Amino acid sequence: MQQVCLLTVVSLFVTSAQCKTPGLQTRITDRALEYATEVALDILSKQVTGQQIPDQHGQSGDVKFDITGMNVKQFTKPSSRVSLIQNVGLSWSTSGTGLAIHGDFKYKYRKGIIKISDHGSFDLKANGINFQIKIEIGMDGTGRPTMKAVGCSCNVGSADIKFHGGAAWIYNLFSGQLENKLKDMVGGGNGLLCKQLNTLIDVNGMKSLQKLPVTVQIAKRFLLDYRFLSKPSFQTKFMETYHKGEVYWNAVPVDAPFAAPPLLKSSDTSRMMYIWLSDYVFNTMSYNALKYNQLQYNVTNKDLPSGVLNTTCPQSTCIGKIIKAIGTKFPNTTVMLYMKSTSMPNMTVQNGSTVVNAAGDIVFFAQQPGGKYTYFLTLSATMSTTISLMIQNEKVFAKVLKLPISVTVKDSKIPVSPEGLNFIVKGIVSVFAEPKLNELGAAGFPLPVINSVHFTNTQLTVAKDTLLIATDLKYSG
């Protein structure tokens, strides 16, 4: 049986008192659960319709009967309600379900010397079917969510059976017993509906949970950890989850030496789902990128407009023309820039803006015959990048808005004028850095969502240390 939206949504958002500040927090509201149950019932209807029912055999007085080939022809959607149970999970109850069942029968009537046998078909309509089931939601030892069906109950209000073919007076001898048998088969804790619901939760639901990305590889080097920090917490109108929200170096997953800051408080429940994303997620990634030497790059002519790093050129836009000492000392060659961060880039989110502050060195080398390089200049650079963020396809995307860069001479073997530094900043560093940053931002940062759940009517709020995503949901299973 396919996964149901109710289970998928529950899969996503499974809090209790946590001992560690989360890097990511989610809230799923009663609006989402109401929507989820409607979709769940649509899918349940498709799964139940056509369901085969085991053959039945019985005897009522002088009549022996066999009921075969039974299947569900119609499922009438009930009214539905989901409530949250503190420290447990969910309670899902319905009322007014209807089922239509078709099957074949044959009977043998024997009394004294009188023997009658016949066969035909029948249609059963069961109405006023109500069921209730609890869903316990927890967490296993690896930080994955778990769910379990508990205490399913189902009762059938009425059943009406119509026979086609044979003698009506004989039907009356066993129709009541047959109706009761079929009511018991549909209702009860071990009946058709409860079996389907238990399978839906314990088997299909757990399969859905296995698809929930609790760890995501980034660029094959980093590991984004969305595992749960604690068991779920349930309030009257919503449930919440708290996730680790940390990025590790994939080969050596060790916690960063700093904690996540407190997340923005909010009591809003007008949307279906809320995701609080801490700047801790980005900062743990930049911490490991610096630690494992990922924030360094050799910039050559292939990374820039043609010829900018040439030391000799007919035009006036190459580095050897702008900084004449380079052209004089290293003619007819090219320059390579070794760029490396000297401190961890730090993201700060506040007052509606997102800023990434970074510092590093830019080391200049001139290429020599035989592939050797000669060092001649080191600049210290600081960068405070303002970025815009957007949510699309359940990912966070970023784009550079402002990229102010300032440089100072740290060490030099040649004289460098202010005009020369200005050229390096505007004509080389900015030209290289901005496209690279936008390339990273365009890759998107994945959120912990199963593929069949999509965001709609999404709003992004930028507050202190927090990106708050408020969204409605659409299931596309």
Side-chain angles (χ1 to χ4, degrees):
M1 186 179 291
Q2 299 173 355
Q3 58 196 25
V4 174
C5 181
L6 172 65
L7 304 180
T8 303
V9 171
V10 169
S11 304
L12 301 178
F13 320 107
V14 197
T15 250
S16 61
Q18 64 280 355
C19 59
K20 183 177 180 180
T21 305
L24 181 138
Q25 173 185 337
T26 69
R27 174 181 295 166
I28 181 73
T29 68
D30 53 355
R31 282 193 59 225
L33 295 173
E34 290 168 5
Y35 167 73
T37 55
E38 287 301 309
V39 178
L41 287 170
D42 286 338
I43 298 176
L44 183 62
S45 174
K46 293 177 182 178
Q47 300 302 325
V48 171
T49 302
Q51 183 73 30
Q52 301 294 315
I53 299 175
D55 295 345
Q56 296 292 307
H57 311 282
Q59 183 170 351
S60 178
D62 299 319
V63 180
K64 291 183 178 179
F65 58 87
D66 300 291
I67 306 298
T68 60
M70 289 183 288
N71 61 85
V72 178
K73 291 295 185 181
Q74 184 179 356
F75 178 92
T76 304
K77 279 179 59 177
S79 59
S80 176
R81 181 175 181 271
V82 172
S83 56
L84 294 102
I85 308 171
Q86 192 169 7
N87 299 323
V88 176
L90 308 176
S91 175
W92 184 19
S93 60
T94 70
S95 60
T97 306
L99 286 179
I101 298 172
H102 180 80
D104 299 316
F105 73 90
K106 61 181 179 180
Y107 65 85
K108 293 180 180 180
Y109 174 82
R110 180 172 184 174
K111 190 167 185 178
I113 62 171
I114 302 174
K115 297 179 182 179
I116 303 173
S117 63
D118 205 348
H119 63 88
S121 63
F122 71 90
D123 289 291
L124 173 78
K125 289 187 177 181
N127 295 303
I129 303 173
N130 307 324
F131 70 76
Q132 181 171 4
I133 190 167
K134 292 179 181 178
I135 306 171
E136 290 184 351
I137 304 172
M139 180 185 73
D140 66 16
T142 67
R144 278 190 170 275
T146 60
M147 64 167 55
K148 180 182 179 181
V150 178
C152 182
S153 62
C154 178
N155 63 79
V156 180
S158 63
D160 179 46
I161 190 167
K162 290 186 178 181
F163 294 95
H164 310 286
W169 68 271
I170 294 181
Y171 301 157
N172 293 332
L173 297 177
F174 65 91
S175 62
Q177 184 176 351
L178 180 57
E179 286 176 1
N180 290 331
K181 269 183 171 289
L182 294 175
K183 285 173 67 175
D184 290 341
M185 289 170 54
V186 172
N190 292 314
L192 171 67
L193 284 179
C194 276
K195 285 181 178 178
Q196 292 293 320
L197 288 166
N198 287 330
T199 300
L200 196 65
I201 295 164
D202 294 341
V203 179
N204 300 83
M206 285 303 296
K207 285 182 180 178
S208 292
L209 293 180
Q210 294 304 311
K211 296 177 182 178
L212 178 65
V214 294
T215 56
V216 180
Q217 276 203 354
I218 301 176
K220 298 181 180 180
R221 296 182 178 92
F222 301 94
L223 186 69
L224 174 57
D225 190 344
Y226 280 140
R227 287 177 296 174
F228 299 126
L229 290 174
S230 59
K231 291 182 179 180
S233 169
F234 304 89
Q235 307 300 323
T236 304
K237 294 185 69 70
F238 60 84
M239 57 186 292
E240 289 187 336
T241 67
Y242 289 73
H243 305 245
K244 196 161 191 179
E246 181 167 355
V247 179
Y248 296 109
W249 183 244
N250 196 20
V252 187
V254 178
D255 287 349
F258 51 90
L263 293 167
L264 174 72
K265 300 293 184 183
S266 174
S267 58
D268 189 14
T269 58
S270 61
R271 303 287 175 97
M272 292 184 180
M273 187 181 84
Y274 297 80
I275 299 178
W276 288 258
L277 189 64
S278 171
D279 52 21
Y280 175 78
V281 178
F282 171 84
N283 290 334
T284 54
M285 182 173 178
S286 64
Y287 165 78
N288 283 292
L290 178 69
K291 181 178 179 180
Y292 292 100
N293 302 315
Q294 298 302 297
L295 301 180
Q296 53 189 13
Y297 192 84
N298 291 329
V299 181
T300 64
N301 263 334
K302 67 180 176 60
D303 302 300
L304 297 166
S306 178
V308 170
L309 292 179
N310 289 344
T311 60
T312 303
C313 58
Q315 72 273 26
S316 59
T317 55
C318 72
I319 193 169
K321 267 287 180 65
I322 301 300
I323 305 176
K324 297 186 183 303
I326 297 176
T328 301
K329 190 169 185 177
F330 307 105
N332 301 313
T333 186
T334 62
V335 171
M336 180 187 75
L337 279 64
Y338 170 56
M339 301 177 66
K340 65 173 183 177
S341 289
T342 54
S343 61
M344 184 190 92
N346 183 68
M347 175 186 281
T348 57
V349 181
Q350 59 184 350
N351 301 326
S353 66
T354 305
V355 178
V356 178
N357 295 303
D361 287 343
I362 307 171
V363 186
F364 291 72
F365 298 89
Q367 186 173 7
Q368 299 296 309
K372 294 182 179 180
Y373 288 89
T374 300
Y375 162 78
F376 64 88
L377 176 66
T378 300
L379 301 179
S380 291
T382 59
M383 179 175 68
S384 183
T385 309
T386 302
I387 60 176
S388 67
L389 299 170
M390 65 196 78
I391 308 298
Q392 190 175 3
N393 298 326
E394 296 70 60
K395 288 185 176 182
V396 181
F397 294 90
K399 185 176 181 180
V400 173
L401 292 179
K402 292 189 293 184
L403 186 62
I405 300 172
S406 62
V407 296
T408 58
V409 177
K410 185 175 182 179
D411 178 65
S412 181
K413 307 300 182 184
I414 61 168
V416 182
S417 67
E419 291 78 16
L421 291 178
N422 185 60
F423 171 76
I424 291 172
V425 169
K426 293 185 176 180
I428 299 177
V429 179
S430 295
V431 171
F432 166 76
E434 185 165 340
K436 281 293 182 183
L437 291 172
N438 282 331
E439 182 182 324
L440 290 171
F445 203 83
L447 296 170
V449 181
I450 292 175
N451 290 336
S452 54
V453 175
H454 304 286
F455 294 171
T456 180
N457 189 28
T458 303
Q459 178 182 354
L460 177 64
T461 301
V462 178
K464 180 173 173 54
D465 301 319
T466 308
L467 303 178
L468 175 56
I469 303 164
T471 187
D472 291 325
L473 302 171
K474 187 170 183 179
Y475 179 72
S476 64

